Amino acid sequence: MTKFKNLKIQTQLVIGFMLILFMVVFLAGVAYVQTATIQKQAELMYKHPLQVRTALGRLQNDVTELRLGLRQIMLVAEESQRALILNNMLLTEADVTKQFQVLQQLYLGPVQDIAEAEQNYLIWSAMHSKNTERVQANQNGLVVESLKVNGEEGLLRDRLIQSLGKIDDFAAKKSESLYNASVEMKSNFNQKLLFFSLAILVLTLIILYTLIGNIRKPLKELIATSNALHLGNWDARNVYDLSNEFGELAVSFNILAESVQNNRELSHKTSELSRVMLSEDHSQRFFQVTLHTLAEHTGSQVASIFLLSKDQKTYEHFESIGLTEAGMRSFRADHYEGEFGAAIFSKKMQRITNIDAKSAFVFSVVSGDVLPNEIITIPILSGNTVFAIISLASIKAYSTQSIELINQIISTMSARIDGVLAYRKLKVLAEQLEEQNVELDSQKNELFKQTEVLIQQNHELDLQKKQLNESSQLKTNFLSNMSHELRTPLNSVIALSGVLGRRLVGMIPDEEYRYLDIIERNGKNLLNLINDILDISRIESGKEEFDITEFNMNALLVEVMSLIEHQALNKDVKLNFVASGSDAHLKSDVDKCKHILQNLIANAIKFTDNGSVDIQVDALVDQIDIRITDTGIGIADDQIEGIFDEFRQADGSTSRKYGGTGLGLAIAQKYANLLGGKIVVKSILGEGSEFVVTLPRLVSVPESKPTDRVDRTEKTKSRSVQVPHSVTKQSNTIKTLLLVEDSEPAIIQMKDLLEGRGYEVLISRSALEALKLFEHIIPDAMIIDLMMPDIDGFELLQTIRDAEITAHIPVLVLTAKYISKEELKILKRNNIHQLIQKGAVNRQQLLDEVSTMLYPELKQVNKPPRSVQKITRKPVVLIVEDNPDNMITVKAVLEDQYVILEAVEGDSAIHMAQEHIPDLILMDIALPGKSGIEVFQVIREQAALKHIPIIALTASAMTHDRETILSYGFDAFIAKPIIAKELNAKMREVLYGN
């Protein structure tokens, strides 16, 4: 039994399973044999008694059918029916023969029984055939006599039936004997089956009991040992010692328990050592308790620590336990000497084992010197530097647990030692800081005095900044006024010099004729200077606008070269252009890029007396480089840095020889910087220069500084004032106007004017009153002033448009305020009906605008047509200009192509427009008496004059002036001085649409 228990569990299970399988197979074999016997018995019963009796039954039926067929023949008179009956009788006779064959094959009784029955059938069949012939011969009486019980055929039939009955009796007896044998066989089979089943069941239970006992007992022992460990008995071990799997599991379990116990002890020692290290911050006490605990847990008799010196050249003894004075000497850090050398070099723990008796490693005890068996050297790292070394020595070999303890605690020890030494340094630094704080307090007092001085200086700087801002605004106003005053005389100079140049060809001496060219050229130079100064002013003020579009740099350079090609031809300078071979498209401000390129290429041509100017485009992934190289005079190295300064050229001689103001390069660089690019220059004096313009493919436009108006408008979004969501809408036919105005004279004037036309006028003297009014009624239209207390007109308009219930109300703005470009954009964005300046409005214009606002269906009727005119004659142009020089200039430019009418002030202009109905009016804005805008509005009020296109003429070049003028409804805008080509083009566009 013991040998069986020592077998592998797998082997035991296989043996038990095979025994059970053998018994099951044996039982299946017995069942198979018995089943085969029963099958044979059943087949015997089926083949003899059952089929024999079935064949006898069919024979008897066939005999009966033959007798009935004979009787039917006697009863049927028709031959066809008799023939059918005779045919059926033949089929029955054939079946009789077949059944006798079956009896011969299957009958188990005497063969003579079948022969006797077959002989009797043949005799009866012969008599039956004879009677059939009698019927056909109409001898029915003889047939009837023969069929009787005592007749010939009757006696023969009885004999046949008796022979068949003999066979049937034998088959019945045989069937009964077979059945009895089957019952006895079943009883025997059941007895055997019960016996073998009980035997298999008993044997299976024995096998299961044995296997369960061999598995359950070791499992119980393992569970008991596990529970003992769980309850804290770390010495508990499994004593199962058989050599099967459970024996192997018991050995593994004991090893695991041993490992867990060791790890627990190791963890306890590690925790204890960590606790000891954390308990002290003072370096001396820290190393004392740490070395003592480390020596105790590792079984060491010597423990010491050496620290790296401040100059990192030596390791010096700091603290030790059990170390002799001779062992406390310092050693060098750069020489890997002694037992510490390998640890310093490898930065890993080193263990020296089996120390020879002749070794110098000894330590002293009371009884004398003792030779250590093992020495452990532990490097303490900070980063990649060994800043401390711990040495342990023992007279015995170190246990695996001790080595593992050192490996686990070394990282914590390194960090803690680093922290203690850092704390030591901090204490020293704290003492030094305390001394420095005293000094800093005195310096603080001194700085406080200096701060008061700086505050005073900052105050002065703020005043200076304010003065600079005021100066900048004054400069902008000055430039605007200067451009107006300078462009007026320039208009005459340029235009008339051009007219005289065309008319006096060949009529005056050539030298005098060249004077005209000089006048026109210098006038244009002066105009360019004014434009450059305005560009510089606009850039520096931060009001520069951007129009970002996508364009091809190659195409732009072709356009620029066509504009300045004549300059190169005049100087006999060859202009070469190499386009980019790849895609040179970019998104930027095309006008500013054009300005940059014009300035740089023109500059290159100007300073090149002979040779060439080469232009090359390089299309990179994120940028496009335009390289402009010339063979001109070049620039000295010490002068390159200042060429982009305003009003600056290389030197005075250059300015005198080549002219110019020094603004071209400054503007080009400022535009390039605004577009996110740059200009780099290389030059060699006397050989030429190379300017490289770098522009990004996608420009990032700097945001313009918002004006106060924009700020105030944005703040409207956060106001708590809201328009109510549900109000009453006027349902009567009288139109209701809400006038929001804080000026009493304006209220009286507007109310009298509008009520006289049948409008119902509601008055609100502030935006808050207007918003409160919306709680009760929604007017059909509004007239608002922009300059009001608390909430101004801009904020009121924004609030109205943000509310769904009032967003549809048409609004007419009537104000005396100067409208800036940003404010005009705000008004347009809020969809105002019309903007009317208080100083420029008359009663009829106001009534017309109110009428078209309240009755929009009339707007198209009152709007003057602006379709392209079909003029077959010489167009009539009315020029309204108070400056005689300008009048002469415009007439000189236009009189060859147009019929000219002249007016020097507003009333005469209105009168001449009514009298002559001109095809076009050129209207100066700055007129004596009525301004050009007032004259424009009077003309627009008259139905007969509404269709006349009006072009505004002004010497103001500022962008916001143009926007303001066009907002009144002028068809076009021309800035002075007038360029003949530009004026003619604009007039053709207005008159003919081309």
Side-chain angles (χ1 to χ4, degrees):
M1 190 66 180
T2 303
K3 291 183 178 180
F4 181 74
K5 289 182 179 180
N6 279 325
L7 292 176
K8 299 290 187 182
I9 298 300
Q10 179 181 356
T11 304
Q12 295 182 32
L13 291 173
V14 169
I15 291 173
F17 175 76
M18 292 302 293
L19 288 173
I20 295 172
L21 182 62
F22 172 76
M23 289 185 289
V24 171
V25 171
F26 176 76
L27 182 61
V30 173
Y32 176 76
V33 172
Q34 294 297 325
T35 302
T37 304
I38 294 173
Q39 176 66 22
K40 288 180 181 179
Q41 195 75 1
E43 288 180 358
L44 185 61
M45 291 177 66
Y46 172 75
K47 288 181 178 180
H48 177 257
L50 180 60
Q51 291 193 19
V52 167
R53 298 192 72 180
T54 300
L56 287 173
R58 293 189 65 173
L59 276 172
Q60 292 175 356
N61 289 336
D62 289 342
V63 171
T64 303
E65 287 182 5
L66 289 173
R67 290 180 64 215
L68 290 174
L70 183 61
R71 293 180 184 275
Q72 289 175 354
I73 292 173
M74 290 188 296
L75 297 175
V76 175
E78 295 181 3
E79 289 299 328
S80 61
Q81 293 181 351
R82 284 187 174 185
L84 180 61
I85 294 171
L86 288 172
N87 186 52
N88 290 334
M89 290 173 66
L90 291 174
L91 293 174
T92 302
E93 290 175 354
D95 186 65
V96 170
T97 302
K98 180 178 178 182
Q99 298 306 321
F100 271 114
Q101 292 176 353
V102 171
L103 291 175
Q104 290 175 358
Q105 293 175 359
L106 302 176
Y107 185 61
L108 299 176
V111 177
Q112 58 268 21
D113 292 346
I114 301 300
E116 181 183 353
E118 190 173 6
Q119 183 65 34
N120 290 334
Y121 169 74
L122 292 175
I123 295 172
W124 176 82
S125 179
M127 179 54 69
H128 182 73
S129 299
K130 184 177 180 181
N131 286 334
T132 302
E133 292 175 357
R134 287 175 179 174
V135 172
Q136 290 178 349
N138 294 321
Q139 297 177 357
N140 293 339
L142 295 175
V143 174
V144 171
E145 288 297 327
S146 177
L147 292 175
K148 290 182 178 180
V149 176
N150 55 357
E152 295 177 335
E153 184 176 350
L155 293 173
L156 294 173
R157 183 182 62 78
D158 290 340
R159 187 185 300 172
L160 173 61
I161 294 301
Q162 288 177 1
S163 61
L164 292 175
K166 183 178 180 180
I167 295 171
D168 185 56
D169 290 341
F170 181 83
K173 292 178 180 179
K174 188 66 176 179
S175 175
E176 184 177 357
S177 66
L178 290 174
Y179 172 75
N180 293 332
S182 176
V183 171
E184 184 179 358
M185 187 181 299
K186 175 186 176 185
S187 177
N188 293 334
F189 175 72
N190 288 339
Q191 291 176 2
K192 292 179 181 178
L193 185 63
L194 178 61
F195 172 76
F196 286 119
S197 297
L198 289 174
I200 291 172
L201 178 61
V202 171
L203 185 57
T204 301
L205 290 175
I206 293 172
I207 293 171
L208 290 176
Y209 177 80
T210 303
L211 292 175
I212 291 172
N214 292 344
I215 294 173
R216 187 176 181 183
K217 182 179 178 181
L219 283 178
K220 288 178 66 177
E221 291 182 4
L222 285 172
I223 293 172
T225 307
S226 298
N227 290 334
L229 287 174
H230 180 69
L231 294 173
N233 183 10
W234 298 103
D235 295 325
R237 297 293 183 268
N238 196 295
V239 296
Y240 188 81
D241 58 352
L242 296 179
S243 58
N244 56 22
E245 287 91 340
F246 286 107
E248 295 174 359
L249 182 59
V251 174
S252 298
F253 182 87
N254 292 338
I255 293 173
L256 178 61
E258 186 74 23
S259 176
V260 169
Q261 185 177 13
N262 291 337
N263 288 337
R264 185 174 178 275
E265 292 177 358
L266 181 62
S267 177
H268 174 72
K269 291 179 180 180
T270 303
S271 176
E272 177 66 18
L273 188 55
S274 298
R275 184 190 64 78
V276 168
M277 288 191 294
L278 292 172
S279 64
E280 292 289 346
D281 289 323
H282 188 273
S283 57
Q284 194 76 30
R285 290 194 298 272
F286 168 79
F287 285 117
Q288 286 176 354
V289 296
T290 300
L291 291 176
H292 172 74
T293 306
L294 184 60
E296 181 182 357
H297 288 330
T298 58
S300 301
Q301 284 71 46
V302 176
S304 59
I305 184 166
F306 293 79
L307 302 180
L308 186 64
S309 61
K310 292 182 179 180
D311 58 6
Q312 297 188 351
K313 292 182 179 181
T314 59
Y315 287 94
E316 299 175 350
H317 173 267
F318 186 81
E319 190 62 52
S320 62
I321 295 176
L323 187 66
T324 62
E325 187 175 354
M328 298 180 183
R329 64 182 178 85
S330 301
F331 57 93
R332 294 176 61 182
D334 53 350
H335 287 184
Y336 305 120
E337 57 183 349
E339 71 272 26
F340 296 162
I344 297 172
F345 179 79
S346 65
K347 298 179 176 60
K348 296 180 180 178
M349 183 183 73
Q350 300 297 317
R351 181 181 179 187
I352 303 175
T353 61
N354 300 321
I355 298 175
D356 193 275
K358 298 179 181 180
S359 171
F361 293 113
V362 295
F363 60 91
S364 300
V365 295
V366 176
S367 58
D369 294 337
V370 178
L371 177 68
N373 187 43
E374 289 191 5
I375 296 177
I376 295 177
T377 305
I378 308 170
I380 305 300
L381 302 176
S382 176
N384 200 36
T385 303
V386 179
F387 68 91
I389 296 175
I390 295 177
S391 178
L392 302 175
S394 174
I395 59 175
K396 297 180 180 180
Y398 283 105
S399 64
T400 304
Q401 187 183 79
S402 297
I403 301 300
E404 186 64 27
L405 172 63
I406 295 172
N407 287 329
Q408 285 194 9
I409 201 65
I410 189 169
S411 297
T412 304
M413 189 183 298
S414 297
R416 182 58 183 149
I417 293 174
D418 193 12
V420 169
L421 295 179
Y423 176 75
R424 181 187 178 194
K425 293 179 181 178
L426 285 175
K427 283 191 68 177
V428 176
L429 290 174
E431 293 173 357
Q432 295 175 353
L433 285 173
E434 189 174 356
E435 296 176 358
Q436 293 174 357
N437 284 336
V438 176
E439 183 178 354
L440 286 174
D441 285 338
S442 62
Q443 294 178 356
K444 177 182 176 182
N445 295 330
E446 182 67 24
L447 285 174
F448 181 76
K449 296 177 181 179
Q450 295 177 1
T451 301
E452 292 180 343
V453 176
L454 287 175
I455 292 173
Q456 181 64 27
Q457 292 176 351
N458 286 336
H459 179 68
E460 295 176 0
L461 287 174
D462 289 338
L463 293 177
Q464 293 176 3
K465 180 180 177 182
K466 184 177 180 181
Q467 293 173 355
L468 286 174
N469 291 335
E470 293 175 354
S471 300
S472 177
Q473 183 61 40
L474 290 173
K475 183 187 75 172
T476 301
N477 295 337
F478 166 75
L479 290 174
S480 177
N481 295 331
M482 181 197 71
S483 67
H484 183 279
E485 297 300 326
L486 290 177
R487 285 170 182 268
T488 300
L490 277 177
N491 179 51
S492 300
V493 173
I494 296 173
L496 291 181
S497 60
V499 172
L500 290 176
R502 291 191 297 272
R503 292 184 178 182
L504 299 179
V505 175
M507 298 177 62
I508 60 176
D510 292 341
E511 183 178 357
E512 295 179 0
Y513 185 79
R514 285 197 299 271
Y515 296 164
L516 295 175
D517 289 337
I518 295 172
I519 295 172
E520 183 177 10
R521 182 172 64 253
N522 283 282
K524 291 180 178 180
N525 290 338
L526 184 57
L527 178 60
N528 291 333
L529 173 60
I530 295 172
N531 290 336
D532 287 344
I533 293 173
L534 291 175
D535 288 339
I536 288 290
S537 173
R538 190 166 55 249
I539 294 171
E540 291 180 348
S541 66
K543 296 180 179 180
E544 191 64 44
E545 299 177 1
F546 294 86
D547 184 13
I548 306 301
T549 58
E550 184 174 357
F551 60 93
N552 190 317
M553 180 56 71
N554 291 330
L556 179 61
L557 275 166
V558 171
E559 179 184 349
V560 171
M561 290 175 63
S562 66
L563 294 175
I564 61 178
E565 187 176 13
H566 65 280
Q567 298 180 23
L569 293 175
N570 292 338
K571 297 191 67 176
D572 197 21
V573 173
K574 189 176 182 181
L575 201 58
N576 302 317
F577 173 49
V578 178
S580 172
S582 56
D583 177 31
H585 281 81
L586 69 159
K587 283 187 176 181
S588 189
D589 190 314
V590 65
D591 291 332
K592 290 177 176 54
C593 291
K594 182 178 180 181
H595 201 149
I596 294 170
L597 297 174
Q598 275 185 290
N599 284 3
L600 293 178
I601 297 174
N603 189 73
I605 295 172
K606 181 170 71 171
F607 291 104
T608 302
D609 294 328
N610 55 68
S612 64
V613 174
D614 298 324
I615 303 145
Q616 179 180 344
V617 177
D618 296 323
L620 305 179
V621 177
D622 297 323
Q623 66 186 44
I624 292 181
D625 294 344
I626 304 97
R627 197 176 306 276
I628 302 167
T629 308
D630 64 65
T631 58
I633 62 175
I635 308 169
D637 292 340
D638 58 345
Q639 296 175 347
I640 288 180
E641 187 175 351
I643 62 173
F644 292 107
D645 295 341
E646 299 167 15
F647 304 103
R648 182 87 173 269
Q649 288 188 345
D651 55 34
S653 61
T654 302
S655 177
R656 289 190 297 271
K657 180 177 180 181
Y658 294 98
T661 61
L663 287 175
L665 291 181
I667 293 173
Q669 187 191 51
K670 290 180 184 295
Y671 275 159
N673 293 338
L674 286 174
L675 296 176
K678 62 181 179 179
I679 301 176
V680 178
V681 58
K682 297 178 182 178
S683 183
I684 299 176
L685 188 63
E687 295 184 12
S689 304
E690 179 184 76
F691 287 78
V692 179
V693 184
T694 299
L695 296 173
R697 290 261 192 180
L698 180 61
V699 67
S700 177
V701 178
E703 297 182 358
S704 60
K705 297 178 181 179
T707 62
D708 293 340
R709 166 57 43 214
V710 177
D711 290 341
R712 289 198 299 272
T713 305
E714 291 300 324
K715 290 177 182 177
T716 306
K717 299 178 182 179
S718 61
R719 284 189 177 270
S720 60
V721 180
Q722 296 181 353
V723 174
H725 297 287
S726 177
V727 294
T728 304
K729 176 67 180 172
Q730 283 291 95
S731 60
N732 55 24
T733 58
I734 299 176
K735 296 293 184 178
T736 303
L737 275 168
L738 173 59
L739 175 63
V740 186
E741 173 66 69
D742 62 331
S743 171
E744 285 298 328
I747 291 174
I748 295 172
Q749 181 186 18
M750 295 297 295
K751 188 174 182 181
D752 178 70
L753 176 64
L754 295 172
E755 287 181 344
R757 287 299 181 97
Y759 302 126
E760 181 181 355
V761 181
L762 305 175
I763 305 298
S764 293
R765 289 171 172 78
S766 69
L768 290 175
E769 287 187 19
L771 294 173
K772 188 174 182 180
L773 180 67
F774 290 151
E775 297 177 2
H776 308 289
I777 189 171
I778 297 297
D780 295 299
M782 294 178 63
I783 300 175
I784 66 174
D785 186 17
L786 295 179
M787 302 302 293
M788 293 185 294
D790 192 17
I791 301 176
D792 63 15
F794 291 98
E795 298 175 3
L796 173 61
L797 181 60
Q798 184 70 44
T799 304
I800 292 170
R801 292 295 180 241
D802 287 343
E804 182 179 358
I805 195 68
T806 58
H808 68 283
I809 300 176
V811 176
L812 186 148
V813 175
L814 183 63
T815 182
K817 182 184 183 301
Y818 168 75
I819 304 298
S820 67
K821 179 181 177 181
E822 289 78 8
E823 292 170 332
L824 183 61
K825 287 181 180 179
I826 294 171
L827 296 176
K828 288 181 178 179
R829 187 165 60 245
N830 284 287
N831 194 25
I832 65 168
H833 172 76
Q834 185 59 275
L835 169 66
I836 298 179
Q837 295 286 338
K838 284 184 177 179
V841 71
N842 58 41
R843 295 168 61 90
Q844 187 58 45
Q845 179 195 11
L846 178 61
L847 291 173
D848 288 346
E849 293 297 342
V850 170
S851 176
T852 56
M853 180 171 62
L854 289 170
Y855 302 97
E857 63 272 11
L858 302 178
K859 189 172 184 179
Q860 293 298 326
V861 177
N862 295 330
K863 184 178 179 180
R866 288 292 180 267
S867 59
V868 176
Q869 302 183 56
K870 296 182 179 179
I871 304 174
T872 57
R873 51 180 171 73
K874 209 173 186 180
V876 177
V877 177
L878 171 60
I879 304 172
V880 185
E881 174 63 68
D882 65 318
N883 186 292
D885 293 341
N886 285 343
M887 178 66 78
I888 294 171
T889 301
V890 177
K891 285 174 58 181
V893 171
L894 301 178
E895 62 185 358
D896 292 340
Q897 305 175 52
Y898 302 94
V899 176
I900 304 300
L901 302 176
E902 301 178 36
V904 296
E905 47 85 26
D907 290 334
S908 62
I910 296 170
H911 175 73
M912 294 192 69
Q914 294 170 340
E915 180 179 355
H916 298 284
I917 313 295
D919 299 302
L920 178 68
I921 299 175
L922 296 179
M923 180 73 68
D924 185 22
I925 298 302
L927 294 174
K930 285 188 175 66
S931 69
I933 294 175
E934 292 175 315
V935 176
F936 166 83
Q937 291 170 342
V938 171
I939 293 175
R940 282 285 181 261
E941 292 173 2
Q942 301 184 29
L945 305 179
K946 284 185 177 181
H947 68 282
I948 301 175
I950 303 176
I951 298 176
L953 298 177
T954 179
S956 177
M958 303 306 282
T959 305
H960 62 269
D961 295 332
R962 177 181 181 276
E963 293 288 341
T964 303
I965 291 171
L966 288 178
S967 69
Y968 285 102
F970 283 89
D971 295 272
F973 175 95
I974 294 291
K976 298 177 183 178
I978 296 171
I979 307 300
K981 184 177 180 181
E982 294 179 2
L983 178 61
N984 283 317
K986 184 63 68 175
M987 292 176 64
R988 284 195 302 273
E989 178 184 345
V990 173
L991 281 172
Y992 307 114
N994 55 26

